[in-house]
Amino acid sequence: GQQVMQIPQYQHVQEGEDFTTYCNSSTTLSNIQWYKQRPGGHPVFLIQLVKSGEVKKQKRLTFQFGEAKKNSSLHITATQTTDVGTYFCAGPPTSGTYKYIFGTGTRLKVLA
Amino acid sequence: NAGVTQTPKFRVLKTGQSMTLLCAQDMNHEYMYWYRQDPGMGLRLIHYSVGEGTTAKGEVPDGYNVSRLKKQNFLLGLESAAPSQTSVYFCASSYSGQATKTQYFGPGTRLLVL
């Protein structure tokens, strides 16, 4: 079955440093979503990418969808303590299906 | 709007007991999902529903059953709980009419099976 891996599993950064998490799927994705989960909380939707090679920005966050639609990345510029949490990617393998497969997640800790 | 609510928030079961987790959403969403979250494994889809009266299997359906008798409710049942079902369970819903299928998650149910 489809597998979605994320690297790294954990990342500790000093406040102000940049951070990147990578998402790799074993199969082509019709779209990809990113979620953030604060410690003890529930996942919260950040963004959805649909087109091959698409890049979207949200303030300090930059999201990219790979040309082959099998990988994606999330880059945070100048991290802040509010960025702490686990970041998940998720995608359905087939267009029109809503069976989202989530990645393993990257837990980010920001040291003040 | 309460969004997505889950009942109960926390439960302890003994092996072999049964229970039902309730998910309710007040956003008139067609799609609803049940996930389980275990350390280091992300979220895994158990079952999902694309409309009232319909359900489908996700990645890890064994040991669970679901029902969607009303559009706003999605029930997850454990007929005979096992320690391997100790996990945090999240319900989510999404709207079919949007191009962006944002999933809105509930606060989660922590289940401990002894």
Coordinates of all heavy atoms in Angstrom, one line a residue, chain A residues 2 9 33 35 37 40-45 47-48 88 90 97-105, chain B residues 31 33 35 37 40-43 45 48 50 57-59 90 99-103 105-107 110:
Chain A
Q2 N 0.2 2.4 -0.1 CA 0.9 3.6 -0.2 C 1.5 3.9 1.2 O 1.0 3.7 2.2 CB -0.1 4.8 -0.5 CG 0.5 6.1 -0.6 CD -0.5 7.2 -0.6 OE1 -1.7 7.0 -0.5 NE2 -0.1 8.5 -0.8
Q9 N 12.6 13.0 11.6 CA 11.5 12.6 12.5 C 11.4 13.7 13.6 O 10.4 14.1 14.1 CB 11.8 11.3 13.2 CG 10.6 10.7 14.0 CD 10.9 9.3 14.4 OE1 12.0 8.7 14.2 NE2 9.9 8.7 15.1
Q33 N -1.7 17.9 1.4 CA -2.0 18.8 2.4 C -1.0 18.8 3.5 O -0.3 17.8 3.7 CB -3.4 18.4 3.0 CG -4.6 18.5 2.1 CD -5.9 18.1 2.7 OE1 -5.9 17.5 3.8 NE2 -7.0 18.5 2.1
Y35 N -0.5 19.8 7.7 CA -1.1 20.1 9.0 C -0.1 20.3 10.0 O 1.0 19.8 10.0 CB -2.0 18.9 9.4 CG -3.2 18.7 8.6 CD1 -3.1 18.0 7.3 CD2 -4.5 19.1 9.0 CE1 -4.3 17.8 6.5 CE2 -5.6 19.0 8.2 CZ -5.5 18.3 7.0 OH -6.6 18.1 6.2
Q37 N 0.3 20.2 14.3 CA -0.3 19.7 15.6 C 0.5 20.2 16.7 O 1.7 19.8 16.9 CB -0.4 18.2 15.6 CG -1.1 17.6 16.8 CD -1.2 16.1 16.8 OE1 -0.5 15.4 16.1 NE2 -2.2 15.5 17.5
G40 N -0.2 18.1 22.6 CA -1.4 17.9 23.3 C -2.7 18.3 22.5 O -3.8 18.2 23.0
G41 N -2.5 18.8 21.3 CA -3.6 19.3 20.5 C -4.0 18.4 19.4 O -3.6 17.2 19.3
H42 N -4.8 18.9 18.5 CA -5.2 18.2 17.3 C -4.7 18.8 16.1 O -4.3 20.0 16.1 CB -6.8 18.1 17.2 CG -7.4 19.5 17.2 ND1 -7.7 20.2 18.3 CD2 -7.8 20.2 16.1 CE1 -8.2 21.4 17.9 NE2 -8.3 21.4 16.6
P43 N -4.6 18.0 15.0 CA -4.0 18.6 13.7 C -4.9 19.7 13.2 O -6.1 19.7 13.2 CB -4.1 17.4 12.8 CG -4.1 16.2 13.6 CD -4.9 16.6 14.8
V44 N -4.2 20.8 12.7 CA -4.9 21.9 12.1 C -4.4 22.1 10.7 O -3.2 22.1 10.5 CB -4.6 23.2 13.0 CG1 -5.2 24.4 12.3 CG2 -5.2 23.0 14.4
F45 N -5.3 22.3 9.8 CA -4.9 22.4 8.4 C -4.1 23.7 8.1 O -4.4 24.8 8.6 CB -6.2 22.5 7.6 CG -6.1 22.7 6.1 CD1 -5.8 21.7 5.2 CD2 -6.2 24.0 5.6 CE1 -5.7 21.9 3.9 CE2 -6.1 24.2 4.2 CZ -5.8 23.1 3.4
I47 N -2.4 24.1 4.6 CA -2.4 24.4 3.2 C -2.7 23.2 2.3 O -2.4 22.1 2.8 CB -1.1 25.2 2.7 CG1 -1.4 26.1 1.5 CG2 0.0 24.1 2.5 CD1 -0.3 27.1 1.4
Q48 N -3.1 23.4 1.1 CA -3.2 22.3 0.1 C -2.5 22.7 -1.2 O -2.7 23.8 -1.7 CB -4.7 21.9 -0.2 CG -4.8 20.8 -1.2 CD -6.2 20.3 -1.3 OE1 -6.8 19.9 -0.4 NE2 -6.8 20.5 -2.5
F88 N 2.7 17.5 9.7 CA 2.3 16.3 8.9 C 1.9 16.7 7.5 O 1.3 17.7 7.3 CB 1.0 15.6 9.5 CG 1.2 15.0 10.9 CD1 0.8 15.7 12.0 CD2 1.8 13.8 11.0 CE1 1.0 15.1 13.3 CE2 2.0 13.2 12.2 CZ 1.6 13.8 13.4
A90 N -0.1 15.0 4.1 CA -1.1 14.0 3.8 C -1.6 14.1 2.4 O -1.7 15.2 1.9 CB -2.3 14.2 4.8
T97 N -10.6 10.6 -4.7 CA -10.7 9.8 -3.4 C -10.4 10.7 -2.3 O -9.7 11.6 -2.4 CB -9.8 8.6 -3.4 OG1 -10.0 7.9 -2.2 CG2 -8.3 9.0 -3.5
Y98 N -11.0 10.4 -1.2 CA -10.8 11.2 0.1 C -10.1 10.3 1.1 O -10.2 10.6 2.3 CB -12.1 11.8 0.5 CG -12.7 12.6 -0.6 CD1 -13.8 12.1 -1.4 CD2 -12.1 13.8 -1.0 CE1 -14.2 12.8 -2.4 CE2 -12.6 14.5 -2.1 CZ -13.6 14.0 -2.8 OH -14.1 14.7 -3.9
K99 N -9.4 9.3 0.7 CA -8.7 8.4 1.6 C -7.3 9.0 1.8 O -6.4 8.5 1.2 CB -8.7 7.0 1.0 CG -8.2 5.9 1.9 CD -8.4 4.6 1.2 CE -7.8 3.5 1.9 NZ -8.0 2.2 1.2
Y100 N -7.2 9.9 2.7 CA -5.9 10.6 2.9 C -5.0 9.7 3.7 O -5.3 9.2 4.8 CB -6.1 11.9 3.6 CG -6.5 13.0 2.7 CD1 -7.9 13.2 2.2 CD2 -5.6 13.9 2.1 CE1 -8.2 14.2 1.3 CE2 -5.9 14.9 1.2 CZ -7.2 15.0 0.8 OH -7.6 16.0 -0.1
I101 N -3.8 9.6 3.2 CA -2.7 8.9 3.9 C -1.8 10.0 4.5 O -1.2 10.8 3.8 CB -1.9 8.0 3.0 CG1 -2.9 7.0 2.3 CG2 -0.9 7.2 3.8 CD1 -3.7 6.1 3.2
F102 N -1.6 9.9 5.8 CA -0.7 10.9 6.5 C 0.7 10.4 6.6 O 1.0 9.2 6.7 CB -1.3 11.1 7.9 CG -2.3 12.2 8.0 CD1 -3.6 11.9 7.5 CD2 -2.1 13.5 8.5 CE1 -4.6 12.8 7.6 CE2 -3.1 14.4 8.5 CZ -4.3 14.1 8.1
G103 N 1.6 11.4 6.5 CA 3.0 11.1 6.7 C 3.3 10.8 8.2 O 2.4 11.0 9.1
T104 N 4.5 10.4 8.5 CA 4.9 10.0 9.9 C 5.1 11.3 10.7 O 5.2 11.1 12.0 CB 6.2 9.2 9.8 OG1 7.1 9.8 8.9 CG2 5.8 7.8 9.3
G105 N 5.2 12.4 10.2 CA 5.4 13.7 10.9 C 6.8 14.0 11.3 O 7.7 13.2 11.4
Chain B
Y31 N -18.2 14.5 4.4 CA -17.1 13.5 4.6 C -16.7 13.5 6.1 O -16.5 14.6 6.7 CB -15.9 13.8 3.8 CG -16.2 13.8 2.3 CD1 -15.6 14.8 1.5 CD2 -17.1 13.0 1.7 CE1 -15.9 14.9 0.2 CE2 -17.3 13.0 0.3 CZ -16.8 14.0 -0.4 OH -17.0 14.1 -1.8
Y33 N -14.1 11.1 9.0 CA -13.0 10.2 9.1 C -12.7 9.8 10.5 O -12.9 10.7 11.4 CB -11.7 10.8 8.5 CG -11.9 11.5 7.2 CD1 -12.4 12.8 7.1 CD2 -11.5 10.9 6.0 CE1 -12.5 13.4 5.8 CE2 -11.6 11.5 4.8 CZ -12.1 12.8 4.7 OH -12.1 13.4 3.5
Y35 N -9.3 8.5 12.6 CA -7.9 8.2 12.6 C -7.5 7.7 14.0 O -8.1 8.1 15.0 CB -7.1 9.4 12.3 CG -7.3 10.0 10.9 CD1 -8.2 11.0 10.6 CD2 -6.5 9.6 9.8 CE1 -8.4 11.5 9.4 CE2 -6.6 10.1 8.5 CZ -7.6 11.1 8.3 OH -7.7 11.6 7.1
Q37 N -3.8 7.7 16.3 CA -2.5 8.3 16.3 C -1.6 7.6 17.4 O -2.0 7.6 18.6 CB -2.5 9.8 16.6 CG -1.1 10.4 16.5 CD -1.2 11.9 16.6 OE1 -2.0 12.5 17.3 NE2 -0.3 12.6 15.8
G40 N 5.2 8.1 16.8 CA 6.1 7.7 15.7 C 5.5 7.2 14.4 O 6.1 6.8 13.5
M41 N 4.1 7.1 14.4 CA 3.4 6.5 13.3 C 2.5 7.5 12.6 O 1.7 7.1 11.7 CB 2.7 5.3 13.7 CG 3.7 4.2 14.3 SD 2.9 2.6 14.4 CE 2.9 2.1 12.7
G42 N 2.5 8.7 13.1 CA 1.5 9.7 12.4 C 0.1 9.3 12.7 O -0.3 8.6 13.6
L43 N -0.8 9.7 11.7 CA -2.2 9.4 11.8 C -2.5 8.3 10.8 O -2.1 8.4 9.6 CB -3.0 10.6 11.5 CG -2.9 11.7 12.5 CD1 -2.6 13.1 11.9 CD2 -4.2 11.8 13.3
L45 N -5.6 6.1 9.0 CA -7.0 6.1 8.7 C -7.6 4.8 9.0 O -7.2 3.8 8.5 CB -7.3 6.5 7.2 CG -8.7 6.6 6.8 CD1 -9.4 7.8 7.5 CD2 -8.7 6.9 5.3
Y48 N -13.7 5.7 6.9 CA -14.2 7.0 6.6 C -15.6 6.8 5.9 O -16.1 5.7 5.6 CB -13.2 7.7 5.6 CG -13.0 7.1 4.3 CD1 -13.6 7.6 3.1 CD2 -12.2 5.9 4.1 CE1 -13.4 7.0 1.9 CE2 -12.0 5.4 2.9 CZ -12.6 5.9 1.8 OH -12.4 5.3 0.6
V50 N -18.3 9.0 3.1 CA -18.5 10.1 2.1 C -19.9 10.6 2.1 O -20.3 11.4 1.3 CB -18.0 9.7 0.7 CG1 -16.6 9.3 0.7 CG2 -18.9 8.5 0.2
K57 N -13.5 1.3 4.3 CA -12.3 0.9 5.1 C -11.2 1.8 4.8 O -11.0 2.2 3.6 CB -12.0 -0.5 4.9 CG -13.0 -1.5 5.4 CD -12.6 -2.9 5.1 CE -13.6 -3.9 5.6 NZ -13.2 -5.3 5.4
G58 N -10.4 2.1 5.8 CA -9.2 2.9 5.6 C -8.0 2.0 5.6 O -8.0 0.8 5.2
E59 N -6.9 2.4 6.2 CA -5.6 1.7 6.3 C -5.6 0.5 7.3 O -5.1 -0.5 7.1 CB -4.4 2.6 6.6 CG -4.1 3.7 5.7 CD -3.0 4.5 6.3 OE1 -1.8 4.2 6.1 OE2 -3.3 5.5 7.0
F90 N -8.7 10.3 16.6 CA -9.2 11.6 16.1 C -10.3 11.4 15.1 O -10.1 10.6 14.2 CB -8.0 12.4 15.5 CG -7.1 13.0 16.5 CD1 -5.9 12.4 16.7 CD2 -7.4 14.2 17.2 CE1 -5.0 12.9 17.7 CE2 -6.5 14.7 18.1 CZ -5.3 14.1 18.3
A99 N -12.9 22.9 -3.4 CA -11.8 22.3 -4.1 C -10.7 21.9 -3.1 O -10.1 20.9 -3.3 CB -11.2 23.3 -5.1
T100 N -10.6 22.7 -2.1 CA -9.6 22.3 -1.0 C -10.4 21.5 0.1 O -11.2 22.0 0.7 CB -9.0 23.6 -0.4 OG1 -8.3 24.3 -1.4 CG2 -8.0 23.2 0.7
K101 N -10.0 20.3 0.2 CA -10.7 19.4 1.1 C -10.1 19.5 2.5 O -9.5 18.5 3.0 CB -10.7 17.9 0.6 CG -11.3 17.8 -0.8 CD -12.8 18.1 -0.8 CE -13.5 17.8 -2.1 NZ -13.2 18.8 -3.1
T102 N -10.2 20.6 3.1 CA -9.7 20.8 4.4 C -10.4 19.9 5.4 O -11.6 19.7 5.4 CB -10.0 22.3 4.9 OG1 -9.5 23.2 3.9 CG2 -9.4 22.5 6.3
Q103 N -9.5 19.2 6.2 CA -10.1 18.3 7.2 C -10.1 19.1 8.5 O -9.0 19.6 8.9 CB -9.3 17.0 7.3 CG -9.4 16.2 6.0 CD -8.7 14.8 6.2 OE1 -9.0 14.0 7.1 NE2 -7.7 14.6 5.3
F105 N -10.4 18.7 12.5 CA -10.3 17.6 13.4 C -10.9 18.0 14.8 O -11.0 19.1 15.2 CB -8.8 17.4 13.7 CG -8.1 16.6 12.6 CD1 -7.7 17.2 11.5 CD2 -7.9 15.2 12.8 CE1 -7.1 16.4 10.4 CE2 -7.3 14.4 11.8 CZ -6.9 15.1 10.6
G106 N -11.4 16.9 15.4 CA -11.9 17.0 16.8 C -10.7 17.0 17.8 O -9.6 16.8 17.4
P107 N -11.0 17.2 19.1 CA -10.0 17.3 20.1 C -9.3 16.0 20.4 O -8.3 15.9 21.1 CB -10.7 17.9 21.3 CG -12.1 17.5 21.1 CD -12.3 17.5 19.6
R110 N -8.6 9.8 24.1 CA -7.4 9.0 24.6 C -8.0 7.7 25.1 O -8.8 7.7 26.1 CB -6.6 9.7 25.7 CG -5.9 10.9 25.1 CD -5.0 11.5 26.2 NE -4.2 12.6 25.6 CZ -3.1 12.5 25.0 NH1 -2.5 11.3 24.8 NH2 -2.5 13.5 24.5

